[in-house]
Structure formats: structure tokens, C-alpha cells
Amino acid sequence: MKKWVTGSIILLILLLPLPVYAADYSIEETNITASLQADGKVMVEESHTYAFDGEFNGITRTLIPKQQGSEITDVRAEENGKALEVEREGDLYKVYRGGSDETITVDLFYTIENGMEHYADVSQFYWPFFDDRNESTYEDLTITVVPPAQTEAKVAFGYDAAYETEQLLDDGSVRYEMGEVPANEKGDIRVAYDASLFYAAGNTKEMLGTILAEKKSLDDEAAEKKQREEQWGKIGAILTVSATALAVLLYGYGLRRRKMTGWDAERIKGGSLFPDHSMSIPGMISFMKGGYMNHKALTAAMLDLVRKGLIEEQSKKVYKRLDRHPDHEHEQQLIEWLYDDIAQSDTLYIDDIERYAKNKENSETYRKRHHSWQKLVRKEVKEQSLYASSAVPRWTAGLTALGLFPFAILLPLNGTFLWMIFVILLIIYFLLFSIAYKPLNVEGRSLYDQLQPLKKDDDWETWEEEDRLKALLFQIGAGKRDPLSQPFPSSTQSSEIATYVVIGSYFETNFSDAQRHTTVSASSGSSSSGGGTGGGGGGSGAF
């Protein structure tokens, strides 16, 4: 059944129409010249310089008429005066010019019928040569509007990407030097000339005042936006400086508190032997590993049960449960897991652990039992009260992050993106501080300072045997020592410690394999299958 489903999916994928991806390209330069005609037509010449990386078939140009009644006609293309094939698909025009790893310049020619809007006082050319549907970035875009005769433009301006890019030339032409225009940007242009230059019939409505009023509204809006950006820029600066100062204060507070706790812990420190603490070895491993307890920690926990006499070694691979009460809940849970669930008797064969985990029906129970055991170990650590009170600095950090959050939204809305980045970084810092700042008290710091060297070196090998054994189990659980590949040094090895190294290698192998089986089972079981004017515009691309 599974093979049939897989085959059907592959066949379906093969039958589906796949998109044709264009070669990588950039549009290095684009020049568009719109020559206005006295009869209201607009003759357009476009020059597009493409740089291709890889094979390509040609370029595309989308031309969408703006207003009702206008139409794009007579579209043709050339390269160095040589005609190129043009194919139309709705508003999309494909210009065929294949090649590979080339820079080419394609000239496109077309006519906009009824592209002008005529009024009693002026005729305007109000057109989007591209809009937010454009898929490509123009790296250097220039648009020039040329009147039918030498004159002076009554008004000329642009929207969005074209705003404040216009230049009025001596002959009455208007050039929009936009430079780089990112993909999905709009940039309508608007130019009005005296109506007498055009003999197309217009209406009796006067339009110049309306156009000038719209330009003024656009300028006022831009000025207001600039002022708003300046104001919010000041707010962002003050906010960032103030929050950074608070962040430094909190960081300094944490460092000073840590240093003072370290001094107090050093004063009460006894010797360099294994910590004389009521916490169990699994608890110490959890404390030093941030609660993370994998199969290595299980190995150490099992060896600790043997050390404490809660289970008895009958041979290297056979262990009997004794009728004794453990000191900790997690020890009782581990014994019940191993003997009630896995062995289902008072005798455990080490190989039973892997055999149990291999059975997929047991995988979920194994994972739940492991998780439950970890929770009980973390509970023991929590009950030791090793952490100092940190409510004030954590609440301060959390409330600061909460207070900064609205500004992370308001700043970009008001054009101050740089300050937004700083504010977001500060929010992340304060959130992490609020969550992660848990300073140790003197007792916790003393325990940490005694255990930390055990994760790095083996100075403890000269200790008394009981402390050496505890140190060995801690290193196995913390991942510092692998009983399979790093046996205890023979120069300091007693018969008892040698025994723990050997049986540790057996436990390590079985718990490691059990974790692998249950992880594979979990992953396999969880997989599943499953234009600014309201019209007109266009864009450029390649195929």
C-alpha cells in the first residue's frame, strides 16, 4: 500500500505543470522615453540592459493600460537595429533573444493609444510604467517625457519611487532620474502641458488647479512624514540610550552580585573533595547541565543505585532489586521503571533495556518514563534552594521589554527602521535576562564551584576512594568520561572502581542503544505529508 501511494505521488508530481525558472539576471540600466503626440498618442521607446548569469531565452515586459479607452499597440523589439521576435500573452510580452552569460541591450517600441487626458486648460500624461506587481529591481531607471513641441511644463511630479526625482529641461521635457527601484515598488509619473499643444478633443473641465492641489497635498504629506520621522528618530534615540543604560546597569548588577557570592562561597569552601551535599549525584548532574539528562545521566544514576546498595550486582550483566527504600523520588521511579516495566521481575538483565526499547510498542512508554524521571530529578534540585531571590531585576527586565514592544511597531511605521533594530535587540536582551537570570546563592555557588572542575580535569584521581567513585559517576553522567573509551586511569584504579567502569560500559551501551531506538521510532511515527493609480502598470523580467 505504501509503495502504491509513493508511486502515485511521484507520478502526480511528474504530471503537474512545473514553473520555468529564469536564469539569474539583473537589469543594470533602463531608459524609457515617452514622446507625446499632438493627437494624444504616446510613442514609447524603452532600452533595457540585462546582465545574465547562465542560459536564458529572452526578456519579458508587462504593459498594462492605465485608464479605460487606452491601449498598447504596435509592440516590437530590436537589438542593435535587428528585429527580435515578440510573443504576446495578455498583458505580458516575451521578447526572444537566447544566450548564456551575456550582457544584452534590448530596445522595445510601442504606442499608447489615448494615453493622454485632455481638459480645457491642460492635457496630462499620468502613467505607471511599472507598479507593485513588478518582479525585478531596476538598478538604474530613467524616464523622460517629451512634449510635441518646445514649451514649458505646467506641472510635473511623481509618486512613490518617482517622488522628487523630476527635472524640468529647457525644451519642456521632464526627466525622472529614479536610480535604483526595488521590485514591487510603485512609481507613477504625472506631467501636464498647455492644452493648446494637443488637438485631441477634450472636455470643458479645468484640471490644472486640481493637479497643483494634489501636488501640494503630496508635498505636504511628504513634509509631514519627514517631520514625523525626525520626531520619532529623536524618540528612538532617547529610548535606545535610556534602555541601553538600564541594560548595562542590570548586567553590572548581575556581575557584582555574582562576584560577591563567589567571595562568600570561597570563604565557606572546605577542601577540594567531592561536595558533601545532600543532593544526589543525578541531581548534581542536572544542576550542572541545566536540567538536561540523557542516556549518560541514566548510566550514572544506575551506577549510583549500585553504589548505594539499592540494587545488587549478581554478575556484570545481572542486577537484583533489594527491599530498601531510596532517599529520593527519582530513585524510586527509576527502580520501578527498570524492574516493573522492563524486567517485570526483581532481576534485571542489562540487555533487557535495549530489547525493551527495540519494541516499538514500548517506545512511547520508555520516553514518558525517561521524561518523568528527569522531572523528578529537577524537582530535587529545585527543593535544594540553591538560587537567590531575583524578582526585582527580573521583573524590571520583563516590564522594560513589555514597555519597549509597542515602539518596535511604531518606529518602523514612522520611518525610523534603524532605531527599530536597536529596540528589537534590547527587547530580546531584556526578555532573555528576565527568563534566564537565576543567580546562585552562596550554597549554590559553593556547590557549583566544587563541581565545575570535575567537568574539565581529573585532579580528583588522588582523592580518597569513596570521593573518587562519586567523581567518576558524576563525570560519566555529565559526559566528561565515557566508560566505553575512557577507562579510569590504571595508576589510581582500585578493584571497586574498575568494576564500576566495566559495568558502566554495559549500562552505557544499552541506554545509548535504547535512546537511539526510541528516537528513531518517535521521528518515524510523527512524520506526515501534506499600481499607485488603481490601474495600469507593469514590470520587467526574463525567461
Side-chain angles (χ1 to χ4, degrees), residues 285-301:
I285 295 169
S286 177
F287 171 67
M288 296 300 290
K289 298 278 287 182
Y292 175 68
M293 306 282 282
N294 60 6
H295 64 279
K296 295 181 182 295
L298 277 171
T299 298

Side-chain angles (χ1 to χ4, degrees), residues 214-228:
E214 186 163 341
K215 182 180 186 305
K216 183 178 183 306
S217 176
L218 199 65
D219 292 339
D220 290 344
E221 184 180 336
E224 182 182 344
K225 180 183 177 184
K226 184 178 180 180
Q227 183 181 12
R228 190 167 63 248

Side-chain angles (χ1 to χ4, degrees), residues 296-297 299-300 303 471-481 483 508:
K296 295 181 182 295
T299 298
L303 294 174
L472 172 66
L473 301 192
F474 175 83
Q475 282 202 333
I476 289 173
K480 169 66 171 66
R481 183 177 296 277
E508 171 75 11

Side-chain angles (χ1 to χ4, degrees), residues 436-465:
Y437 181 62
K438 296 179 180 179
L440 296 169
N441 57 25
V442 175
E443 183 182 0
R445 180 62 185 272
S446 177
L447 179 62
Y448 177 88
D449 288 346
Q450 285 184 280
L451 291 174
Q452 182 63 17
L454 297 178
K455 295 175 64 178
K456 299 179 179 179
D457 55 53
D458 296 323
D459 292 343
W460 50 270
E461 291 174 359
T462 59
W463 294 355
E464 296 295 328
E465 184 162 328

Side-chain angles (χ1 to χ4, degrees), residues 10 31 47 51 104 113 234 444 504:
I10 294 173
N31 289 287
S47 177
I104 65 172
E113 303 284 351
K234 292 177 182 177

Side-chain angles (χ1 to χ4, degrees), residues 87-241:
E87 179 182 293
R88 179 179 180 181
E89 296 178 1
D91 294 319
L92 175 70
Y93 296 84
K94 290 184 175 181
V95 179
Y96 286 85
R97 184 350 188 141
S100 177
D101 298 322
E102 287 185 70
T103 297
I104 65 172
T105 298
V106 174
D107 298 322
L108 197 65
F109 305 88
Y110 57 91
T111 301
I112 304 176
E113 303 284 351
N114 299 316
M116 300 286 295
E117 297 176 60
H118 302 284
Y119 300 92
D121 51 351
V122 292
S123 290
Q124 72 168 344
F125 181 58
Y126 186 4
W127 200 261
F129 282 101
F130 60 92
D131 63 9
D132 52 12
R133 289 165 289 190
N134 178 37
E135 65 184 27
S136 306
T137 294
Y138 295 113
E139 295 188 4
D140 187 6
L141 174 62
T142 302
I143 299 175
T144 304
V145 179
V146 181
Q150 186 166 341
T151 185
E152 182 179 348
K154 295 292 185 180
V155 61
F157 58 99
Y159 297 83
D160 300 304
Y163 182 72
E164 288 192 333
T165 64
E166 69 276 2
Q167 294 183 21
L168 303 181
L169 306 183
D170 293 339
D171 65 350
S173 298
V174 181
R175 180 183 297 144
Y176 294 86
E177 294 185 351
M178 301 186 198
E180 181 178 333
V181 179
N184 307 118
E185 283 281 333
K186 298 183 291 184
D188 300 5
I189 62 169
R190 193 169 188 177
V191 183
Y193 292 100
D194 192 282
S196 61
L197 291 172
F198 303 90
Y199 55 79
N203 58 43
T204 58
K205 177 183 177 181
E206 292 191 350
M207 191 65 179
L208 181 58
T210 301
I211 298 174
L212 290 171
E214 186 163 341
K215 182 180 186 305
K216 183 178 183 306
S217 176
L218 199 65
D219 292 339
D220 290 344
E221 184 180 336
E224 182 182 344
K225 180 183 177 184
K226 184 178 180 180
Q227 183 181 12
R228 190 167 63 248
E229 288 178 357
E230 291 176 352
Q231 291 175 342
W232 277 93
K234 292 177 182 177
I235 293 173
I238 295 171
L239 200 67
T240 301
V241 170

